[in-house]
Amino acid sequence: MAALAAEAADELRAAVTELRPAALDEDGLVATLRTHVHVLDRAHTAHVTFTCDGVRALPAAQEEALLRVAQEALHNTLRHSDADRVEVTLARAGSGGAVLKVTDSGKGFDPKSVRRAGRHLGLVSMRDRASGAGGRLTVHSEPGKGTTIEMEVPGG
């Protein structure tokens, strides 16, 4: 019964993830991300912060990809890292695009061993989203030293 419930929850999460959030259309990326981070900060013991520097409106597909990558990175961090601090930053890139960083103070991991083991569907999903939006995703992590997920998209 528990396995069936977990599977149903995973399917529901996947379906919801595919929907474009109304808040993104109404409020834009910065406000939507700020609200999401604020809610997570209140709901978790880790201190979650958001800063934004000079980001302008981007094409809808890029904004959605940035939001979804931020959500997945935050979900993974808050679920697996044991971090007490999580920082989300969104900054304007030199090309007029944007750079998203989600950095945590958690236990970190070895990205190479994760790739070899074929685990972490979330990382695969984030890479696919970044690529689909014309951007790139990098993962910086080391056991005992936290993790930074970085996504950059070019200007539209």
Side-chain angles (χ1 to χ4, degrees):
M1 183 70 102
L4 185 58
E7 185 179 322
D10 287 344
E11 287 180 25
L12 179 59
R13 183 171 166 236
V16 168
T17 298
E18 294 306 313
L19 299 174
R20 180 168 169 81
L24 193 56
D25 288 331
E26 295 168 11
D27 301 328
L29 176 62
V30 174
T32 301
L33 198 49
R34 180 176 283 120
T35 299
H36 186 70
V37 167
H38 179 73
V39 168
L40 292 175
D41 184 50
R42 293 181 60 175
H44 292 273
T45 57
H47 183 54
V48 186
T49 61
F50 174 71
T51 56
C52 180
D53 183 24
V55 175
R56 296 185 180 162
L58 296 164
Q62 289 181 332
E63 288 194 350
E64 184 174 351
L66 286 161
L67 177 63
R68 295 306 190 190
V69 166
Q71 289 173 325
E72 183 68 29
L74 285 162
H75 172 79
N76 289 346
T77 294
L78 294 169
R79 186 170 184 198
H80 301 294
S81 77
D82 297 328
D84 59 0
R85 285 183 342 277
V86 183
E87 299 171 1
V88 179
T89 61
L90 186 63
R92 187 171 182 190
S95 64
V99 177
L100 167 76
K101 289 185 184 179
V102 178
T103 303
D104 71 60
S105 65
K107 61 186 176 184
F109 63 95
D110 178 0
K112 292 176 187 158
S113 69
V114 169
R115 264 186 251 129
R116 282 194 301 270
R119 297 185 320 233
H120 288 277
L121 184 59
L123 289 174
V124 172
S125 170
M126 287 187 280
R127 287 187 200 286
D128 288 348
R129 286 189 186 277
S131 176
R136 64 179 173 80
L137 185 101
T138 55
V139 178
H140 307 280
S141 189
E142 190 175 325
K145 298 195 177 181
T147 301
T148 297
I149 304 290
E150 182 178 322
M151 178 179 168
E152 183 172 354
V153 294

